[in-house]
Amino acid sequence: MFENNERTDLDKLGEFGLIDHLTKNIQLHDKTTVKGVGDDAAVLDFSGRRTLVSTDLLLEGIHFDLAYTPLKHLGYKSIQVNLSDIYAMNGEASQVTVSIGISSKFPLEAVEELYSGMLLACDRYKIDLIGGDTSASKQGLIISVTSIGHAKEEDICYRNGAQENDLLCVSGDLGAAYVGLQLLEREKLVFLENPNIQPDLEGKDYIVERQLKPDARVDVINLLKEMKIKPTSMIDVSDGLASEVLHLCKNSDKGCVVYEEKIPIDPMTYDTAREFNLDPTVCALSGGEDYELLFTVKQSDYDKIKNSPDITIIGHITESSAGTHLVSKSGNVHQLKAQGWNAFKN
Amino acid sequence: MFENNERTDLDKLGEFGLIDHLTKNIQLHDKTTVKGVGDDAAVLDFSGRRTLVSTDLLLEGIHFDLAYTPLKHLGYKSIQVNLSDIYAMNGEASQVTVSIGISSKFPLEAVEELYSGMLLACDRYKIDLIGGDTSASKQGLIISVTSIGHAKEEDICYRNGAQENDLLCVSGDLGAAYVGLQLLEREKLVFLENPNIQPDLEGKDYIVERQLKPDARVDVINLLKEMKIKPTSMIDVSDGLASEVLHLCKNSDKGCVVYEEKIPIDPMTYDTAREFNLDPTVCALSGGEDYELLFTVKQSDYDKIKNSPDITIIGHITESSAGTHLVSKSGNVHQLKAQGWNAFKN
């Protein structure tokens, strides 16, 4: 059916390469579009307040494994990861649409479990589920969520606003979701070898929950408002810290210095990474799925945030020509690299 | 993983049954939500103008067959079917988000074909593609589109506004997309039996295009505005005429009479249906994918539309207790039944 002798493999491009390639020729037509492709959410001007829209696709076998993912958790997570994008714009999330493709072999009760997790997330965050689509799927479970929010134009934090000498900050801690995933994958293998052995997740609740049931950081957005801080740029950490730092720097045309010793890592994440012979810093830099907020603030805001237990200053913004660097605990300077997560590579 | 002894089969519920079941407990939280689940698009109040949002999921093997669907057409169609929902609210479509799940075995050029069809649709309709998501898919091709539009509250046409004695109208003609599909399916079988035989679609352009490359009827929306007609209720014909008429009647708590002889069917649709030993009226009533607009207008608008070549009056609205009926060409009265399209049944 497809007659074309050219062939470029998707796995060479990677997800970001593919997006860049596909979107470079997009022309905007409508005067209500303030910002289209290229940030966490699209920004539309519907008189007075901006409307924010963001969308994510979650696919079985790619983004989740039903062998160890309870459907209710999966529903909850699918909403949270999407809301996270609205908060990363410093917006108020207000609605979601949810489309689901499922095998007709699933019993209704399974779909209800999934949906109950979605509604729980909506309820906790006071979000309206306003529409969607359901279909049979001949393949695996498919979840597509679109979230909608709003903000005053002057409150919106884009990725491109970081200025030289701004402080680079991150909420919460990093790497836990990735290490939690390693644990779940190990227990799955154990179970497949001997179904009589129960999974050993004893005492690992925190990192397992970070993987299975993350919470979007609306509390951090509210905290920043209380502290009267407007970040100069912001993004959520879905693909790993390194990837997100580089997004901010690229979009703002700036460089940065990140200090390894400042990267917040929970002790359980640290110890469990070590059990797996993983470098905890690499887990934080490249693991992904933390759904924390990474943002830059003016130096003059330093006094306001220095004692906040929820926010860590991990570095600062430099001029573009200075490059993007990581200073290791031993004082060595490395180029910051985004391995990130590439769904097109196996 | 799923421990529950209850089991309700999805195929017994059907798509609408599943949606009803899943959405009946949804609570709305946000004052910006004017209308959530239950119409063609959600309606949000973002000061001044309403924001309209609608979403669709298109899955390989369920909604399309790549054996006879050119990717560019598929991209075009995936946008059009979504815009159709915004127009069915009497809104102006302004943006779409597009998420795609694809096998990494697809070459980039194939994705480009798909995307070029999407951008062509956007360009023709002056729509902005404002975001989305792409992912590898281990299964088939997955397309999720969310469309966004806007309208003044007083212009919006909901499904629930039909009044007794209103005229029931439909744009264009019906059944062509379904008959076109039968033709494509037949030629696929011929090809599978003998790959040397070229598909015989000679002279069937119209019905094949209606299946592969439908156009959302923004022209009809503009025509109604020019004629200074605001429909009392409206829906787009995606699941077959009967299903949509019943949606309007149910939502408006009214009955109706539809006259078989008035249902607009193109001669090519009629003749080709006959070739397949199909009843052309059944194709129009239950075939689906026409993406025409079905709407009700006040009797006082009769003179304005009676000579419009694009609009056909097919019946009228009655009180609820009178039921929903089809008067056959021979004068017999039948209960109007929606077989519609049920993705959960094979």
Side-chain angles (χ1 to χ4, degrees):
Chain A
M1 194 209 88
F2 188 74
E3 291 175 25
N4 195 322
N5 293 323
E6 281 177 78
R7 190 183 161 92
T8 311
D9 288 328
L10 287 182
D11 53 5
K12 282 187 192 139
L13 271 175
E15 185 179 343
F16 294 138
L18 176 62
I19 292 172
D20 281 349
H21 186 89
L22 292 176
T23 59
K24 67 175 189 277
N25 293 322
I26 289 179
Q27 292 180 338
L28 298 180
H29 305 288
D30 200 282
K31 67 181 188 332
T32 63
T33 306
V34 179
K35 172 78 181 174
V37 171
D39 216 298
D40 293 295
V43 181
L44 316 178
D45 180 4
F46 292 117
S47 60
R49 282 180 88 83
R50 304 309 197 206
T51 305
L52 305 170
V53 178
S54 184
T55 193
D56 277 313
L57 194 60
L58 284 90
L59 305 179
E60 184 178 346
I62 302 286
H63 301 97
F64 57 87
D65 185 334
L66 289 178
Y68 51 72
T69 308
L71 285 166
K72 188 171 180 177
H73 286 48
L74 179 62
Y76 189 88
K77 180 173 177 173
S78 66
I79 300 295
Q80 294 293 342
V81 305
N82 218 263
L83 297 181
S84 183
D85 284 320
I86 301 291
Y87 299 132
M89 304 296 289
N90 203 28
E92 294 176 40
S94 47
Q95 291 91 7
V96 287
T97 67
V98 171
S99 294
I100 306 173
I102 27 167
S103 164
S104 61
K105 288 172 199 144
F106 267 59
L108 173 64
E109 289 74 19
V111 188
E112 284 176 333
E113 274 291 292
L114 179 72
Y115 218 71
S116 72
M118 292 175 167
L119 290 177
L120 177 63
C122 287
D123 203 49
R124 283 213 183 142
Y125 281 67
K126 300 297 168 204
I127 303 296
D128 295 332
L129 197 165
I130 55 155
D133 197 5
T134 59
S135 172
S137 164
K138 289 198 173 178
Q139 303 99 0
L141 180 60
I142 295 160
I143 303 171
S144 175
V145 178
T146 298
S147 58
I148 299 148
H150 51 97
K152 288 186 209 160
E153 175 60 34
E154 61 266 30
D155 289 338
I156 297 177
C157 296
Y158 293 93
R159 292 180 183 178
N160 68 2
Q163 300 296 325
E164 213 179 319
N165 300 321
D166 281 355
L167 303 173
L168 189 60
C169 307
V170 70
S171 65
D173 59 77
L174 302 173
Y178 180 75
V179 177
L181 182 63
Q182 305 315 307
L183 202 62
L184 290 164
E185 290 280 359
R186 182 185 71 188
E187 294 306 314
K188 179 187 169 185
L189 290 179
V190 170
F191 178 81
L192 288 176
E193 278 176 24
N194 185 347
N196 293 320
I197 297 180
Q198 287 300 303
D200 178 20
L201 302 171
E202 184 80 17
K204 301 289 191 183
D205 297 11
Y206 178 68
I207 58 175
V208 170
E209 285 225 346
R210 290 282 285 178
Q211 168 57 224
L212 293 180
K213 198 166 165 291
D215 275 302
R217 299 304 306 260
V218 65
D219 57 330
V220 172
I221 294 300
N222 292 335
L223 180 66
L224 290 169
K225 275 198 182 67
E226 278 169 32
M227 295 194 294
K228 297 194 194 311
I229 293 173
K230 187 198 161 184
T232 53
S233 69
M234 186 151 55
I235 191 170
D236 72 324
V237 182
S238 54
D239 293 325
L241 178 64
S243 174
E244 315 303 354
V245 168
L246 292 176
H247 273 305
L248 289 189
C249 288
K250 185 184 171 193
N251 281 267
S252 299
D253 193 24
K254 294 285 178 294
C256 71
V257 178
V258 175
Y259 297 93
E260 182 187 8
E261 64 179 355
K262 300 289 188 189
I263 297 172
I265 297 175
D266 183 85
M268 190 190 296
T269 304
Y270 192 93
D271 294 344
T272 313
R274 283 294 183 210
E275 282 177 37
F276 281 92
N277 289 317
L278 294 169
D279 181 340
T281 301
V282 173
C283 294
L285 286 171
S286 302
E289 292 202 275
D290 294 310
Y291 301 105
E292 295 294 343
L293 293 169
L294 176 75
F295 53 95
T296 52
V297 302
K298 291 177 194 152
Q299 278 214 341
S300 55
D301 287 326
Y302 174 73
D303 282 338
K304 295 182 194 170
I305 58 168
K306 66 181 180 189
N307 293 322
S308 170
D310 266 331
I311 297 170
T312 308
I313 301 167
I314 59 169
H316 60 269
I317 299 298
T318 62
E319 59 176 346
S320 176
S321 60
T324 49
H325 294 109
L326 177 76
V327 179
S328 75
K329 287 176 185 170
S330 57
N332 294 320
V333 178
H334 303 274
Q335 186 89 22
L336 193 63
K337 279 184 194 151
Q339 290 188 280
W341 188 73
N342 187 338
F344 292 110
K345 283 184 181 153
N346 290 319
Chain B
M1 193 206 90
F2 187 74
E3 291 175 25
N4 195 322
N5 294 324
E6 281 177 79
R7 189 182 163 93
T8 311
D9 287 326
L10 287 182
D11 54 6
K12 282 186 195 141
L13 271 175
E15 185 179 341
F16 296 138
L18 177 62
I19 292 173
D20 280 349
H21 185 89
L22 292 174
T23 58
K24 67 175 190 276
N25 294 323
I26 290 179
Q27 292 181 337
L28 298 180
H29 305 288
D30 199 283
K31 68 182 187 332
T32 63
T33 307
V34 178
K35 172 78 182 174
V37 171
D39 216 298
D40 293 293
V43 181
L44 317 177
D45 181 3
F46 292 117
S47 59
R49 282 179 88 82
R50 305 309 198 206
T51 305
L52 305 170
V53 179
S54 183
T55 193
D56 277 313
L57 194 59
L58 284 89
L59 306 179
E60 184 179 346
I62 302 287
H63 301 96
F64 56 87
D65 185 334
L66 290 178
Y68 51 72
T69 308
L71 286 165
K72 188 170 181 179
H73 286 48
L74 178 61
Y76 189 88
K77 179 173 177 175
S78 67
I79 300 295
Q80 294 293 343
V81 304
N82 219 264
L83 298 181
S84 182
D85 284 321
I86 301 293
Y87 298 132
M89 303 296 288
N90 204 26
E92 293 176 41
S94 46
Q95 292 90 7
V96 287
T97 67
V98 171
S99 295
I100 307 174
I102 27 169
S103 164
S104 60
K105 288 172 198 146
F106 266 59
L108 174 64
E109 289 73 19
V111 188
E112 285 176 331
E113 275 290 291
L114 179 71
Y115 219 71
S116 72
M118 291 175 167
L119 290 178
L120 177 63
C122 287
D123 203 49
R124 284 214 184 142
Y125 282 66
K126 299 297 168 203
I127 303 297
D128 295 332
L129 197 165
I130 56 156
D133 197 5
T134 58
S135 171
S137 164
K138 289 197 174 180
Q139 303 100 358
L141 179 61
I142 296 160
I143 302 171
S144 174
V145 178
T146 299
S147 57
I148 300 148
H150 51 96
K152 288 186 209 160
E153 175 62 33
E154 61 267 30
D155 289 337
I156 298 176
C157 295
Y158 294 93
R159 292 181 182 177
N160 67 2
Q163 299 298 324
E164 213 178 319
N165 299 319
D166 280 354
L167 303 172
L168 189 61
C169 307
V170 71
S171 65
D173 59 76
L174 301 172
Y178 180 76
V179 177
L181 180 63
Q182 304 315 306
L183 202 62
L184 289 164
E185 290 279 357
R186 184 186 69 189
E187 295 307 313
K188 178 187 170 185
L189 290 179
V190 170
F191 178 81
L192 288 175
E193 278 175 24
N194 184 347
N196 293 319
I197 297 180
Q198 287 299 304
D200 178 20
L201 302 171
E202 183 80 16
K204 302 289 192 184
D205 297 11
Y206 178 67
I207 58 174
V208 170
E209 284 224 346
R210 290 281 286 176
Q211 168 57 225
L212 294 179
K213 198 166 165 289
D215 275 303
R217 300 303 307 260
V218 65
D219 57 330
V220 172
I221 295 301
N222 292 335
L223 180 66
L224 290 168
K225 276 200 180 67
E226 277 169 33
M227 295 193 294
K228 299 197 192 310
I229 293 172
K230 186 198 162 186
T232 53
S233 69
M234 186 151 56
I235 190 170
D236 72 325
V237 183
S238 55
D239 294 324
L241 178 65
S243 174
E244 315 305 353
V245 168
L246 292 176
H247 274 305
L248 289 188
C249 288
K250 185 184 171 195
N251 280 267
S252 299
D253 192 24
K254 293 287 178 293
C256 70
V257 178
V258 175
Y259 298 92
E260 182 187 7
E261 64 179 356
K262 300 291 188 188
I263 297 173
I265 297 175
D266 183 85
M268 190 190 295
T269 304
Y270 192 94
D271 293 344
T272 313
R274 283 296 183 205
E275 280 177 38
F276 281 92
N277 288 318
L278 294 168
D279 180 341
T281 300
V282 172
C283 294
L285 286 171
S286 301
E289 292 202 275
D290 293 312
Y291 301 106
E292 295 294 342
L293 294 169
L294 176 74
F295 53 95
T296 53
V297 301
K298 291 175 193 153
Q299 278 212 343
S300 55
D301 287 326
Y302 175 73
D303 282 338
K304 297 183 194 168
I305 58 168
K306 67 180 178 187
N307 293 322
S308 170
D310 268 330
I311 297 171
T312 308
I313 301 168
I314 58 169
H316 61 269
I317 299 298
T318 62
E319 61 177 346
S320 177
S321 60
T324 49
H325 294 110
L326 176 75
V327 178
S328 73
K329 288 176 185 172
S330 56
N332 294 320
V333 178
H334 304 274
Q335 185 90 22
L336 194 63
K337 279 185 195 150
Q339 291 189 279
W341 189 74
N342 187 337
F344 291 111
K345 283 183 180 155
N346 291 318

